Amino acid sequence: MSSNDQAPINQDEVRRILDQHKDKTKTALRVCAHCSLCADSCFLYHVHDKDPRYMPSHKFINSLGKLYKKKGKIDRAGFKEIEEIVWRRCVLCTRCYCPLGIDIPEMIAIARDICRSQEVFFQWSELEQPAE
Ligand code: SF4
Ligand code: SF4
């Protein structure tokens, strides 16, 4: 998380971004059949031994989907969980395929925009340094 992780969440700004993408988000959440077919096309899902937390649908439902369902009312702790999903469990490679046409990378990119607006983003400095 950024150094600004004590600042209050600007929910008006979060809602403003959510509103810009409301129709797409609502449709994706409604259309998703939870069939898990998208999982097969995500390399991160495979390299993490098919951990369900790496399924593309799981990632969009628990990031943008969560923000949408809670109407942006998510605190810093909630944002920390979303940060983990959108910055560390997805690289926006756009390789995931949904037979129902849900653009999952776009959903995750919107969630990243919302995170950025609250200064919640991945920091390379948080990575452990290799032992010398
Ligand atoms: S995003 Fe598409 S492929 Fe993935 S679970 Fe939902 S409907 Fe199935
Ligand atoms: S865009 Fe994200 S969810 Fe889709 S295949 Fe790439 S890493 Fe997986």
Coordinates of all heavy atoms in Angstrom, one line a residue, residues 41-44 54 56 59 89-96 104-105 108, ligand 2:
S41 N -7.6 -20.1 -19.0 CA -6.8 -19.2 -19.9 C -5.9 -18.3 -19.1 O -5.2 -17.5 -19.7 CB -7.7 -18.4 -20.8 OG -8.7 -17.8 -20.1
C42 N -5.9 -18.4 -17.8 CA -5.1 -17.5 -17.0 C -3.8 -18.2 -16.5 O -3.9 -19.2 -15.7 CB -5.9 -17.0 -15.8 SG -4.9 -15.9 -14.7
F43 N -2.7 -17.8 -16.9 CA -1.5 -18.5 -16.6 C -1.2 -18.4 -15.1 O -0.6 -19.3 -14.4 CB -0.2 -18.0 -17.4 CG 0.3 -16.7 -16.9 CD1 1.4 -16.6 -16.1 CD2 -0.3 -15.5 -17.3 CE1 1.9 -15.4 -15.6 CE2 0.1 -14.3 -16.9 CZ 1.2 -14.2 -16.0
L44 N -1.6 -17.3 -14.5 CA -1.4 -17.2 -13.0 C -2.2 -18.2 -12.2 O -1.7 -18.6 -11.2 CB -1.7 -15.7 -12.6 CG -0.6 -14.7 -12.9 CD1 -1.1 -13.3 -12.6 CD2 0.7 -15.0 -12.2
Y54 N -7.1 -17.1 -7.9 CA -6.5 -16.6 -9.1 C -7.4 -16.7 -10.3 O -7.0 -16.4 -11.5 CB -5.1 -17.3 -9.4 CG -4.0 -16.7 -8.5 CD1 -3.9 -17.2 -7.2 CD2 -3.2 -15.7 -8.9 CE1 -2.9 -16.7 -6.3 CE2 -2.2 -15.2 -8.1 CZ -2.1 -15.7 -6.8 OH -1.1 -15.2 -5.9
P56 N -9.9 -15.7 -13.0 CA -10.2 -14.4 -13.5 C -11.6 -13.9 -12.9 O -11.7 -12.7 -12.5 CB -10.3 -14.5 -15.0 CG -9.3 -15.6 -15.2 CD -9.4 -16.6 -14.1
K59 N -11.4 -12.8 -9.4 CA -10.6 -11.5 -9.3 C -11.5 -10.3 -9.6 O -11.5 -9.3 -8.9 CB -9.4 -11.5 -10.2 CG -8.3 -12.5 -9.6 CD -7.0 -12.5 -10.5 CE -7.0 -13.5 -11.5 NZ -5.7 -13.8 -12.1
R89 N -2.4 -10.3 -8.3 CA -2.9 -11.5 -8.8 C -3.3 -11.4 -10.3 O -3.9 -12.4 -10.8 CB -4.1 -12.0 -8.0 CG -3.8 -12.4 -6.6 CD -4.9 -13.1 -5.9 NE -4.8 -12.8 -4.4 CZ -5.9 -12.8 -3.6 NH1 -7.1 -12.9 -4.1 NH2 -5.7 -12.5 -2.3
C90 N -3.1 -10.3 -10.9 CA -3.4 -10.1 -12.3 C -2.4 -9.2 -12.9 O -2.0 -8.1 -12.3 CB -4.8 -9.5 -12.4 SG -5.3 -9.1 -14.2
V91 N -1.9 -9.5 -14.1 CA -1.0 -8.6 -14.8 C -1.6 -7.9 -16.0 O -0.9 -7.4 -16.8 CB 0.3 -9.4 -15.2 CG1 1.1 -9.9 -13.9 CG2 0.0 -10.6 -16.1
L92 N -2.9 -8.0 -16.1 CA -3.6 -7.4 -17.3 C -3.0 -7.9 -18.6 O -2.9 -7.1 -19.5 CB -3.6 -5.9 -17.2 CG -4.4 -5.3 -16.0 CD1 -4.4 -3.7 -16.2 CD2 -5.8 -5.8 -15.9
C93 N -2.7 -9.2 -18.7 CA -2.2 -9.7 -19.9 C -3.2 -9.8 -21.0 O -2.9 -10.1 -22.2 CB -1.5 -11.0 -19.7 SG -2.6 -12.4 -19.3
T94 N -4.5 -9.7 -20.6 CA -5.7 -9.8 -21.5 C -5.8 -11.2 -22.2 O -6.4 -11.3 -23.2 CB -5.7 -8.7 -22.6 OG1 -4.7 -9.0 -23.6 CG2 -5.4 -7.4 -22.0
R95 N -5.3 -12.2 -21.6 CA -5.4 -13.5 -22.2 C -6.6 -14.3 -21.8 O -6.9 -15.4 -22.3 CB -4.1 -14.4 -22.0 CG -2.9 -13.8 -22.7 CD -1.7 -14.6 -22.5 NE -1.7 -15.9 -23.1 CZ -0.8 -16.8 -23.0 NH1 0.3 -16.5 -22.4 NH2 -0.9 -18.0 -23.6
C96 N -7.3 -13.9 -20.7 CA -8.4 -14.7 -20.2 C -9.6 -14.6 -21.2 O -9.9 -13.5 -21.7 CB -8.8 -14.3 -18.8 SG -8.7 -12.6 -18.5
I104 N -12.8 -9.3 -18.7 CA -12.3 -9.3 -17.3 C -11.1 -8.4 -17.1 O -11.1 -7.6 -16.1 CB -12.0 -10.8 -16.9 CG1 -13.2 -11.6 -16.8 CG2 -11.3 -10.8 -15.5 CD1 -13.0 -13.1 -16.8
P105 N -10.1 -8.3 -18.0 CA -9.1 -7.4 -17.8 C -9.6 -5.9 -17.7 O -9.1 -5.1 -16.9 CB -8.2 -7.6 -19.1 CG -8.5 -9.0 -19.5 CD -9.9 -9.2 -19.2
I108 N -10.8 -5.4 -14.2 CA -9.8 -5.3 -13.3 C -9.0 -3.9 -13.5 O -8.6 -3.3 -12.5 CB -8.8 -6.5 -13.4 CG1 -9.6 -7.8 -12.9 CG2 -7.6 -6.3 -12.5 CD1 -8.8 -9.1 -13.1
Ligands
SF4_2 S1 -5.6 -10.5 -17.6 FE1 -5.3 -11.1 -15.4 S2 -7.0 -12.6 -15.1 FE2 -6.8 -12.4 -17.3 S3 -5.3 -14.0 -17.9 FE3 -4.1 -12.2 -17.6 S4 -3.4 -12.3 -15.4 FE4 -5.2 -13.8 -15.7

